[in-house]
Amino acid sequence: TTGNFTITSGSVTAPSGTLYIGGDYKNSSGSFADNSGTVIFNGAAQTLSGTMNTASTDFANVQFTGSGNKTFSANASTTALTVSAGTLIVSGRLLTVGGTFTQNSVLTTDGTSRLYFSGSGNIAGTLTNGSALGNVEILASRTLSNNASTTNLAITSGTLTASVLIYIYGSFTNSGTLSPGTGTVYLTAVGGSQSIPSETYNNLTLLNTSGTDTATGALTVNGTLTTTSGGILDMGTFQLLGTVTPTNNGTITTANTTNPAIPASKDWSGTTGTVIFAASSGGQSIPAGTFKTLTLSNTSGTQTAVGALSVSTALNTTSGGTLDMSTFQLSGAFTPANNGTITTANTTNPAIPA
C-alpha cells in the first residue's frame, strides 16, 4: 500500500497479488513490470501520468475503487480495467484495454479520446449518457454486454457481438464483423450524413430528420428497419436484403438493378414514407409491395413491376421513363403524377385504379 507512487528511473516489479495506490501515479522514465498483478487506485482524486502504454510500462489489471476524479494525463494500456467508484477521465487520451472492461461508475471522454479494445473479454457496465464510450476502435473479437453509446465506432478486426442497443453519433466503419444477435443499431445523427457499412443487422434505426444516411454496401436487415420523417436512406446501387419489417417514415432511395432491389411483399408505407426507384436509365425491377408514395426516376428506360403494387398516396413517374406493370395489378387510392408512361397487360377489373 502506498500514497503517491513515482518511478523516476530504474525498474519496478509489481507484486503478483495487489498493489494499492492511494495517491497519484507517475512513471517519468523507468519501467514497470506488472507481474500479472492488480493495481487498485483507492484514493480520492488521483492522476496517472508519465509512460504507461509500452510493454515495459503498461498495467495488467487496474481497478478504480476510490471516490473523486481518476484522470489519465497520458496514454495508457492495461489488460482488465474496472471502474467501481469515482469518475474515470480519459479526455484527450488513448486508452487500450486488452481484457475485460467493467464500467460501474462514471466515464468521461471527449472528441479526441479513443478507447482501443484488443485482446478478449466483455465490455460491460454503464456505457451510455454521461458515461458514453466516445470514440471506440475494436481490434479483436469482443462482446458488448450492456447498451452503449459511441461517437465514432470502428470495427477494425474481429467480431463485435452486441445483442444490445448501440447508439452511434458519429462515423461507423466496419472491416471486421458485427454479430447483432437481438440487438438494435441506432444511427443517431439528426442532420448531416452518416455512412452505413455493409453488414447483417437485426434492428436498424435511422434517426436522421434532415440529412442522408448512405449505405456503403449491401445491407441485410432481419428485424426492423426504421427511418425518420425528413431523413433519407440512400442505398445507392446496393441491394437491401433480409426478412425486414420496415417502418418507413422517411425516404428510401435505390438505384440497384437487382431483382429485388428491396425485399418483396413488404409494407413500405410508414406514416409519411416514400420509396424512390432512382435508376435514371436502363431497367429496374419494382418488387411487389405496399407503398405510400412511390417515385420512379427513370428518364429513358423501363422500370418493371415483378408483382402487384399498392400505392396509397402518390405515384410519380418521370418524362421519358416507363412503368411496365406487366400482368400485375396496380391498386390503391393514390393521386398519380404520370409524367412518363404506364403500361399494363393485367386483365383484372380494374388493372389500374378507376
Side-chain angles (χ1 to χ4, degrees):
T1 299
T2 73
N4 293 333
F5 192 103
T6 302
I7 305 172
T8 303
S9 62
S11 177
V12 173
T13 299
S16 59
T18 302
L19 170 64
Y20 293 89
I21 299 177
D24 294 337
Y25 175 90
K26 183 175 183 179
N27 186 348
S28 298
S29 59
S31 65
F32 178 81
D34 60 52
N35 204 19
S36 300
T38 299
V39 180
I40 296 180
F41 292 89
N42 59 352
Q46 293 176 277
T47 299
L48 287 73
S49 61
T51 305
M52 300 175 286
N53 64 341
T54 66
S56 61
T57 61
D58 60 3
F59 298 102
N61 306 302
V62 171
Q63 297 179 18
F64 294 99
T65 62
S67 61
N69 293 338
K70 315 297 181 182
T71 303
F72 280 104
S73 63
N75 301 336
S77 178
T78 181
T79 304
L81 176 60
T82 300
V83 185
S84 300
T87 297
L88 177 61
I89 300 174
V90 294
S91 299
R93 305 302 169 195
L94 310 179
L95 176 60
T96 300
V97 182
T100 299
F101 178 78
T102 306
Q103 202 302 101
N104 289 326
S105 190
V106 179
L107 173 68
T108 299
T109 60
D110 67 6
T112 60
S113 63
R114 196 171 189 88
L115 299 181
Y116 294 95
F117 290 100
S118 58
S120 62
N122 291 349
I123 304 168
T126 304
L127 309 172
T128 60
N129 300 321
S131 292
L133 292 170
N135 300 316
V136 172
E137 186 167 352
I138 304 296
L139 300 173
S141 293
R142 289 298 205 129
T143 297
L144 271 174
S145 300
N146 297 92
N147 299 340
S149 295
T150 73
T151 306
N152 300 322
L153 173 61
I155 306 175
T156 300
S157 61
T159 297
L160 177 61
T161 300
S163 290
V164 294
L165 310 183
I166 305 177
Y167 300 87
I168 303 170
Y169 288 83
S171 67
F172 179 26
T173 57
N174 182 10
S175 54
T177 301
L178 174 68
S179 178
T182 58
T184 300
V185 174
Y186 290 85
L187 294 182
T188 60
V190 296
S193 62
Q194 280 182 290
S195 296
I196 311 172
S198 179
E199 189 53 271
T200 296
Y201 300 87
N202 180 49
N203 302 322
L204 178 62
T205 297
L206 312 178
L207 299 181
N208 210 317
T209 60
S210 61
T212 300
D213 294 322
T214 303
T216 60
L219 305 182
T220 300
V221 182
N222 290 323
T224 61
L225 171 64
T226 303
T227 63
T228 302
S229 179
I232 297 171
L233 166 57
D234 184 357
M235 290 301 304
T237 59
F238 302 109
Q239 193 174 15
L240 177 60
L241 301 159
T243 57
V244 59
T245 300
T247 301
N248 181 31
N249 298 317
T251 297
I252 299 173
T253 178
T254 177
N256 180 266
T257 56
T258 307
N259 180 15
I262 61 176
S265 303
K266 304 294 182 180
D267 187 343
W268 300 95
S269 301
T271 55
T272 54
T274 296
V275 176
I276 301 173
F277 285 86
S280 60
S281 61
Q284 195 172 19
S285 299
I286 306 173
T290 300
F291 303 87
K292 197 170 193 72
T293 297
L294 178 61
T295 296
L296 310 177
S297 301
N298 208 308
T299 60
S300 62
T302 299
Q303 290 166 308
T304 302
V306 291
L309 306 181
S310 177
V311 183
S312 61
T313 299
L315 172 65
N316 307 308
T317 64
T318 304
S319 178
T322 299
L323 166 59
D324 183 359
M325 288 302 303
S326 184
T327 60
F328 301 106
Q329 188 177 23
L330 175 61
S331 63
F334 62 86
T335 299
N338 182 28
N339 298 309
T341 298
I342 298 175
T343 178
T344 179
N346 181 266
T347 57
T348 307
N349 183 14
I352 61 175

